[in-house]
Amino acid sequence: MLPVMFKNSWFPTVFDDFLNTDFMPRANSTAPAVNVREDEKAYTMELAAPGIKKEYCRVSINDEGNLCIAIENKMEHKEDDRKHHYLRREFSYSNYEQSYTLPDDVEREKISAKVENGILTVTLPKQEKQETKVAKTIEIG
């Protein structure tokens, strides 16, 4: 009788160890984390975009008046070594695009954005409130 080899997760084969990718992180297809702050003068949105360059970010207002944020991330992980033939190279391409409904009190012409330390910050200034006092005579019936 020939010995039968069962696949046992307690004792992986040499090939399983070499080609197995379960321990490697998978590409994350979720949206970046977004923080929104409000103060007297503005709303501030912060989007986590680690390693992103400002050239890959687009911030605009669409025809419906919504804020559109698009991020395209192209990261290539490879090592140039002429002595070895690589069996694996990792490329990561991810796109994110989201539209946000703006509050009515945002001054759309003064919206600004910047990328710094892996965070895309979008500043949405509020319109200055003009307090108008309305004098009115109430008729007594």
PDB file of all heavy atoms in Angstrom, residues 19-45:
ATOM      1  N   LEU A  19       4.815  29.665  -2.835  1.00  0.00           N
ATOM      2  CA  LEU A  19       3.833  30.318  -3.692  1.00  0.00           C
ATOM      3  C   LEU A  19       2.602  30.843  -2.962  1.00  0.00           C
ATOM      4  O   LEU A  19       1.789  31.544  -3.545  1.00  0.00           O
ATOM      5  CB  LEU A  19       3.375  29.349  -4.787  1.00  0.00           C
ATOM      6  CG  LEU A  19       4.490  28.873  -5.723  1.00  0.00           C
ATOM      7  CD1 LEU A  19       3.965  27.808  -6.655  1.00  0.00           C
ATOM      8  CD2 LEU A  19       5.065  30.034  -6.492  1.00  0.00           C
ATOM      9  N   ASN A  20       2.458  30.537  -1.705  1.00  0.00           N
ATOM     10  CA  ASN A  20       1.281  30.951  -0.959  1.00  0.00           C
ATOM     11  C   ASN A  20       1.310  32.456  -0.720  1.00  0.00           C
ATOM     12  O   ASN A  20       2.317  33.012  -0.314  1.00  0.00           O
ATOM     13  CB  ASN A  20       1.234  30.213   0.377  1.00  0.00           C
ATOM     14  CG  ASN A  20      -0.070  30.428   1.092  1.00  0.00           C
ATOM     15  OD1 ASN A  20      -0.957  31.104   0.596  1.00  0.00           O
ATOM     16  ND2 ASN A  20      -0.184  29.849   2.267  1.00  0.00           N
ATOM     17  N   THR A  21       0.184  33.126  -0.947  1.00  0.00           N
ATOM     18  CA  THR A  21       0.115  34.570  -0.749  1.00  0.00           C
ATOM     19  C   THR A  21      -0.868  34.957   0.350  1.00  0.00           C
ATOM     20  O   THR A  21      -1.236  36.114   0.464  1.00  0.00           O
ATOM     21  CB  THR A  21      -0.312  35.257  -2.056  1.00  0.00           C
ATOM     22  OG1 THR A  21      -1.605  34.771  -2.415  1.00  0.00           O
ATOM     23  CG2 THR A  21       0.685  35.021  -3.160  1.00  0.00           C
ATOM     24  N   ASP A  22      -1.310  33.997   1.156  1.00  0.00           N
ATOM     25  CA  ASP A  22      -2.295  34.305   2.193  1.00  0.00           C
ATOM     26  C   ASP A  22      -1.782  35.294   3.232  1.00  0.00           C
ATOM     27  O   ASP A  22      -2.549  36.040   3.820  1.00  0.00           O
ATOM     28  CB  ASP A  22      -2.744  33.027   2.905  1.00  0.00           C
ATOM     29  CG  ASP A  22      -3.599  32.153   2.005  1.00  0.00           C
ATOM     30  OD1 ASP A  22      -4.136  32.677   1.009  1.00  0.00           O
ATOM     31  OD2 ASP A  22      -3.708  30.951   2.297  1.00  0.00           O
ATOM     32  N   PHE A  23      -0.478  35.303   3.455  1.00  0.00           N
ATOM     33  CA  PHE A  23       0.080  36.179   4.475  1.00  0.00           C
ATOM     34  C   PHE A  23       0.266  37.603   3.969  1.00  0.00           C
ATOM     35  O   PHE A  23       0.477  38.515   4.741  1.00  0.00           O
ATOM     36  CB  PHE A  23       1.435  35.649   4.963  1.00  0.00           C
ATOM     37  CG  PHE A  23       2.494  35.648   3.888  1.00  0.00           C
ATOM     38  CD1 PHE A  23       3.323  36.733   3.736  1.00  0.00           C
ATOM     39  CD2 PHE A  23       2.634  34.563   3.036  1.00  0.00           C
ATOM     40  CE1 PHE A  23       4.288  36.742   2.744  1.00  0.00           C
ATOM     41  CE2 PHE A  23       3.605  34.561   2.057  1.00  0.00           C
ATOM     42  CZ  PHE A  23       4.428  35.658   1.904  1.00  0.00           C
ATOM     43  N   MET A  24       0.151  37.814   2.669  1.00  0.00           N
ATOM     44  CA  MET A  24       0.378  39.139   2.096  1.00  0.00           C
ATOM     45  C   MET A  24      -0.902  39.963   2.146  1.00  0.00           C
ATOM     46  O   MET A  24      -1.984  39.436   1.976  1.00  0.00           O
ATOM     47  CB  MET A  24       0.869  39.007   0.662  1.00  0.00           C
ATOM     48  CG  MET A  24       2.158  38.213   0.596  1.00  0.00           C
ATOM     49  SD  MET A  24       2.950  38.340  -0.957  1.00  0.00           S
ATOM     50  CE  MET A  24       3.447  40.021  -0.928  1.00  0.00           C
ATOM     51  N   PRO A  25      -0.788  41.272   2.371  1.00  0.00           N
ATOM     52  CA  PRO A  25      -1.986  42.110   2.408  1.00  0.00           C
ATOM     53  C   PRO A  25      -2.641  42.195   1.035  1.00  0.00           C
ATOM     54  O   PRO A  25      -1.968  42.241   0.026  1.00  0.00           O
ATOM     55  CB  PRO A  25      -1.460  43.476   2.848  1.00  0.00           C
ATOM     56  CG  PRO A  25      -0.010  43.461   2.564  1.00  0.00           C
ATOM     57  CD  PRO A  25       0.433  42.028   2.607  1.00  0.00           C
ATOM     58  N   ARG A  26      -3.927  42.187   1.041  1.00  0.00           N
ATOM     59  CA  ARG A  26      -4.671  42.278  -0.200  1.00  0.00           C
ATOM     60  C   ARG A  26      -4.986  43.747  -0.492  1.00  0.00           C
ATOM     61  O   ARG A  26      -5.010  44.586   0.388  1.00  0.00           O
ATOM     62  CB  ARG A  26      -5.982  41.503  -0.079  1.00  0.00           C
ATOM     63  CG  ARG A  26      -5.745  40.057   0.286  1.00  0.00           C
ATOM     64  CD  ARG A  26      -6.661  39.165  -0.519  1.00  0.00           C
ATOM     65  NE  ARG A  26      -6.556  37.793  -0.103  1.00  0.00           N
ATOM     66  CZ  ARG A  26      -5.706  36.929  -0.610  1.00  0.00           C
ATOM     67  NH1 ARG A  26      -4.872  37.286  -1.530  1.00  0.00           N
ATOM     68  NH2 ARG A  26      -5.679  35.684  -0.194  1.00  0.00           N
ATOM     69  N   ALA A  27      -5.229  44.044  -1.762  1.00  0.00           N
ATOM     70  CA  ALA A  27      -5.587  45.406  -2.146  1.00  0.00           C
ATOM     71  C   ALA A  27      -6.900  45.778  -1.481  1.00  0.00           C
ATOM     72  O   ALA A  27      -7.851  45.015  -1.490  1.00  0.00           O
ATOM     73  CB  ALA A  27      -5.705  45.498  -3.659  1.00  0.00           C
ATOM     74  N   ASN A  28      -6.915  46.932  -0.905  1.00  0.00           N
ATOM     75  CA  ASN A  28      -8.101  47.392  -0.195  1.00  0.00           C
ATOM     76  C   ASN A  28      -8.959  48.205  -1.149  1.00  0.00           C
ATOM     77  O   ASN A  28      -8.513  49.176  -1.716  1.00  0.00           O
ATOM     78  CB  ASN A  28      -7.665  48.251   0.995  1.00  0.00           C
ATOM     79  CG  ASN A  28      -8.804  48.528   1.926  1.00  0.00           C
ATOM     80  OD1 ASN A  28      -9.937  48.153   1.653  1.00  0.00           O
ATOM     81  ND2 ASN A  28      -8.505  49.195   3.017  1.00  0.00           N
ATOM     82  N   SER A  29     -10.194  47.795  -1.328  1.00  0.00           N
ATOM     83  CA  SER A  29     -11.059  48.484  -2.269  1.00  0.00           C
ATOM     84  C   SER A  29     -12.055  49.396  -1.566  1.00  0.00           C
ATOM     85  O   SER A  29     -13.048  49.786  -2.146  1.00  0.00           O
ATOM     86  CB  SER A  29     -11.799  47.459  -3.123  1.00  0.00           C
ATOM     87  OG  SER A  29     -12.613  46.664  -2.299  1.00  0.00           O
ATOM     88  N   THR A  30     -11.789  49.727  -0.347  1.00  0.00           N
ATOM     89  CA  THR A  30     -12.700  50.598   0.371  1.00  0.00           C
ATOM     90  C   THR A  30     -12.295  52.051   0.181  1.00  0.00           C
ATOM     91  O   THR A  30     -11.193  52.360  -0.227  1.00  0.00           O
ATOM     92  CB  THR A  30     -12.705  50.263   1.871  1.00  0.00           C
ATOM     93  OG1 THR A  30     -11.382  50.451   2.383  1.00  0.00           O
ATOM     94  CG2 THR A  30     -13.151  48.841   2.113  1.00  0.00           C
ATOM     95  N   ALA A  31     -13.215  52.934   0.490  1.00  0.00           N
ATOM     96  CA  ALA A  31     -12.964  54.366   0.364  1.00  0.00           C
ATOM     97  C   ALA A  31     -12.039  54.831   1.486  1.00  0.00           C
ATOM     98  O   ALA A  31     -12.012  54.246   2.561  1.00  0.00           O
ATOM     99  CB  ALA A  31     -14.293  55.106   0.431  1.00  0.00           C
ATOM    100  N   PRO A  32     -11.288  55.904   1.229  1.00  0.00           N
ATOM    101  CA  PRO A  32     -10.422  56.415   2.292  1.00  0.00           C
ATOM    102  C   PRO A  32     -11.243  56.996   3.435  1.00  0.00           C
ATOM    103  O   PRO A  32     -12.383  57.420   3.253  1.00  0.00           O
ATOM    104  CB  PRO A  32      -9.609  57.509   1.585  1.00  0.00           C
ATOM    105  CG  PRO A  32     -10.361  57.853   0.370  1.00  0.00           C
ATOM    106  CD  PRO A  32     -11.164  56.649  -0.001  1.00  0.00           C
ATOM    107  N   ALA A  33     -10.641  57.019   4.599  1.00  0.00           N
ATOM    108  CA  ALA A  33     -11.303  57.596   5.766  1.00  0.00           C
ATOM    109  C   ALA A  33     -11.430  59.099   5.571  1.00  0.00           C
ATOM    110  O   ALA A  33     -10.524  59.748   5.055  1.00  0.00           O
ATOM    111  CB  ALA A  33     -10.488  57.290   7.019  1.00  0.00           C
ATOM    112  N   VAL A  34     -12.582  59.654   5.975  1.00  0.00           N
ATOM    113  CA  VAL A  34     -12.846  61.080   5.807  1.00  0.00           C
ATOM    114  C   VAL A  34     -13.237  61.679   7.150  1.00  0.00           C
ATOM    115  O   VAL A  34     -14.128  61.167   7.828  1.00  0.00           O
ATOM    116  CB  VAL A  34     -13.989  61.319   4.784  1.00  0.00           C
ATOM    117  CG1 VAL A  34     -14.276  62.808   4.643  1.00  0.00           C
ATOM    118  CG2 VAL A  34     -13.647  60.714   3.443  1.00  0.00           C
ATOM    119  N   ASN A  35     -12.560  62.747   7.530  1.00  0.00           N
ATOM    120  CA  ASN A  35     -12.933  63.532   8.710  1.00  0.00           C
ATOM    121  C   ASN A  35     -13.522  64.841   8.226  1.00  0.00           C
ATOM    122  O   ASN A  35     -13.013  65.434   7.273  1.00  0.00           O
ATOM    123  CB  ASN A  35     -11.707  63.845   9.581  1.00  0.00           C
ATOM    124  CG  ASN A  35     -11.088  62.606  10.173  1.00  0.00           C
ATOM    125  OD1 ASN A  35     -11.769  61.608  10.395  1.00  0.00           O
ATOM    126  ND2 ASN A  35      -9.800  62.653  10.432  1.00  0.00           N
ATOM    127  N   VAL A  36     -14.573  65.314   8.882  1.00  0.00           N
ATOM    128  CA  VAL A  36     -15.170  66.605   8.552  1.00  0.00           C
ATOM    129  C   VAL A  36     -15.259  67.414   9.838  1.00  0.00           C
ATOM    130  O   VAL A  36     -15.832  66.956  10.822  1.00  0.00           O
ATOM    131  CB  VAL A  36     -16.575  66.443   7.917  1.00  0.00           C
ATOM    132  CG1 VAL A  36     -17.165  67.808   7.586  1.00  0.00           C
ATOM    133  CG2 VAL A  36     -16.511  65.582   6.671  1.00  0.00           C
ATOM    134  N   ARG A  37     -14.667  68.605   9.791  1.00  0.00           N
ATOM    135  CA  ARG A  37     -14.697  69.520  10.932  1.00  0.00           C
ATOM    136  C   ARG A  37     -15.487  70.761  10.539  1.00  0.00           C
ATOM    137  O   ARG A  37     -15.522  71.140   9.377  1.00  0.00           O
ATOM    138  CB  ARG A  37     -13.285  69.989  11.287  1.00  0.00           C
ATOM    139  CG  ARG A  37     -12.468  69.048  12.069  1.00  0.00           C
ATOM    140  CD  ARG A  37     -11.186  69.714  12.596  1.00  0.00           C
ATOM    141  NE  ARG A  37     -10.651  70.760  11.749  1.00  0.00           N
ATOM    142  CZ  ARG A  37      -9.500  70.684  11.098  1.00  0.00           C
ATOM    143  NH1 ARG A  37      -8.768  69.609  11.173  1.00  0.00           N
ATOM    144  NH2 ARG A  37      -9.065  71.683  10.350  1.00  0.00           N
ATOM    145  N   GLU A  38     -16.064  71.407  11.534  1.00  0.00           N
ATOM    146  CA  GLU A  38     -16.766  72.666  11.298  1.00  0.00           C
ATOM    147  C   GLU A  38     -16.357  73.660  12.360  1.00  0.00           C
ATOM    148  O   GLU A  38     -16.246  73.325  13.541  1.00  0.00           O
ATOM    149  CB  GLU A  38     -18.285  72.458  11.356  1.00  0.00           C
ATOM    150  CG  GLU A  38     -19.073  73.727  11.158  1.00  0.00           C
ATOM    151  CD  GLU A  38     -20.567  73.552  11.337  1.00  0.00           C
ATOM    152  OE1 GLU A  38     -21.001  72.496  11.826  1.00  0.00           O
ATOM    153  OE2 GLU A  38     -21.299  74.503  11.012  1.00  0.00           O
ATOM    154  N   ASP A  39     -16.097  74.888  11.935  1.00  0.00           N
ATOM    155  CA  ASP A  39     -15.907  75.987  12.869  1.00  0.00           C
ATOM    156  C   ASP A  39     -16.739  77.166  12.369  1.00  0.00           C
ATOM    157  O   ASP A  39     -17.548  77.014  11.458  1.00  0.00           O
ATOM    158  CB  ASP A  39     -14.424  76.335  13.070  1.00  0.00           C
ATOM    159  CG  ASP A  39     -13.726  76.764  11.788  1.00  0.00           C
ATOM    160  OD1 ASP A  39     -14.398  77.292  10.881  1.00  0.00           O
ATOM    161  OD2 ASP A  39     -12.506  76.584  11.690  1.00  0.00           O
ATOM    162  N   GLU A  40     -16.551  78.326  12.939  1.00  0.00           N
ATOM    163  CA  GLU A  40     -17.375  79.482  12.572  1.00  0.00           C
ATOM    164  C   GLU A  40     -17.164  79.914  11.127  1.00  0.00           C
ATOM    165  O   GLU A  40     -18.072  80.444  10.491  1.00  0.00           O
ATOM    166  CB  GLU A  40     -17.059  80.695  13.483  1.00  0.00           C
ATOM    167  CG  GLU A  40     -17.139  80.427  14.958  1.00  0.00           C
ATOM    168  CD  GLU A  40     -15.855  79.810  15.508  1.00  0.00           C
ATOM    169  OE1 GLU A  40     -14.746  80.214  15.118  1.00  0.00           O
ATOM    170  OE2 GLU A  40     -15.964  78.893  16.329  1.00  0.00           O
ATOM    171  N   LYS A  41     -15.963  79.700  10.598  1.00  0.00           N
ATOM    172  CA  LYS A  41     -15.623  80.230   9.281  1.00  0.00           C
ATOM    173  C   LYS A  41     -15.682  79.221   8.144  1.00  0.00           C
ATOM    174  O   LYS A  41     -15.808  79.612   6.990  1.00  0.00           O
ATOM    175  CB  LYS A  41     -14.224  80.844   9.317  1.00  0.00           C
ATOM    176  CG  LYS A  41     -14.120  82.031  10.247  1.00  0.00           C
ATOM    177  CD  LYS A  41     -12.759  82.638  10.184  1.00  0.00           C
ATOM    178  CE  LYS A  41     -12.697  83.853  11.103  1.00  0.00           C
ATOM    179  NZ  LYS A  41     -11.427  84.549  11.007  1.00  0.00           N
ATOM    180  N   ALA A  42     -15.546  77.910   8.443  1.00  0.00           N
ATOM    181  CA  ALA A  42     -15.441  76.946   7.342  1.00  0.00           C
ATOM    182  C   ALA A  42     -15.722  75.522   7.800  1.00  0.00           C
ATOM    183  O   ALA A  42     -15.690  75.208   8.991  1.00  0.00           O
ATOM    184  CB  ALA A  42     -14.045  77.003   6.731  1.00  0.00           C
ATOM    185  N   TYR A  43     -15.982  74.686   6.805  1.00  0.00           N
ATOM    186  CA  TYR A  43     -15.983  73.233   6.976  1.00  0.00           C
ATOM    187  C   TYR A  43     -14.641  72.754   6.434  1.00  0.00           C
ATOM    188  O   TYR A  43     -14.143  73.283   5.433  1.00  0.00           O
ATOM    189  CB  TYR A  43     -17.095  72.572   6.159  1.00  0.00           C
ATOM    190  CG  TYR A  43     -18.483  73.022   6.517  1.00  0.00           C
ATOM    191  CD1 TYR A  43     -19.116  74.008   5.777  1.00  0.00           C
ATOM    192  CD2 TYR A  43     -19.169  72.442   7.576  1.00  0.00           C
ATOM    193  CE1 TYR A  43     -20.401  74.421   6.087  1.00  0.00           C
ATOM    194  CE2 TYR A  43     -20.457  72.849   7.896  1.00  0.00           C
ATOM    195  CZ  TYR A  43     -21.066  73.842   7.142  1.00  0.00           C
ATOM    196  OH  TYR A  43     -22.334  74.240   7.453  1.00  0.00           O
ATOM    197  N   THR A  44     -14.052  71.746   7.054  1.00  0.00           N
ATOM    198  CA  THR A  44     -12.786  71.201   6.580  1.00  0.00           C
ATOM    199  C   THR A  44     -12.913  69.686   6.457  1.00  0.00           C
ATOM    200  O   THR A  44     -13.275  69.008   7.418  1.00  0.00           O
ATOM    201  CB  THR A  44     -11.637  71.540   7.545  1.00  0.00           C
ATOM    202  OG1 THR A  44     -11.593  72.962   7.726  1.00  0.00           O
ATOM    203  CG2 THR A  44     -10.306  71.059   7.011  1.00  0.00           C
ATOM    204  N   MET A  45     -12.637  69.185   5.254  1.00  0.00           N
ATOM    205  CA  MET A  45     -12.653  67.739   5.002  1.00  0.00           C
ATOM    206  C   MET A  45     -11.213  67.254   4.924  1.00  0.00           C
ATOM    207  O   MET A  45     -10.380  67.886   4.267  1.00  0.00           O
ATOM    208  CB  MET A  45     -13.347  67.418   3.674  1.00  0.00           C
ATOM    209  CG  MET A  45     -14.810  67.735   3.646  1.00  0.00           C
ATOM    210  SD  MET A  45     -15.530  67.374   2.025  1.00  0.00           S
ATOM    211  CE  MET A  45     -15.399  65.591   1.998  1.00  0.00           C
TER     212      MET A  45
END
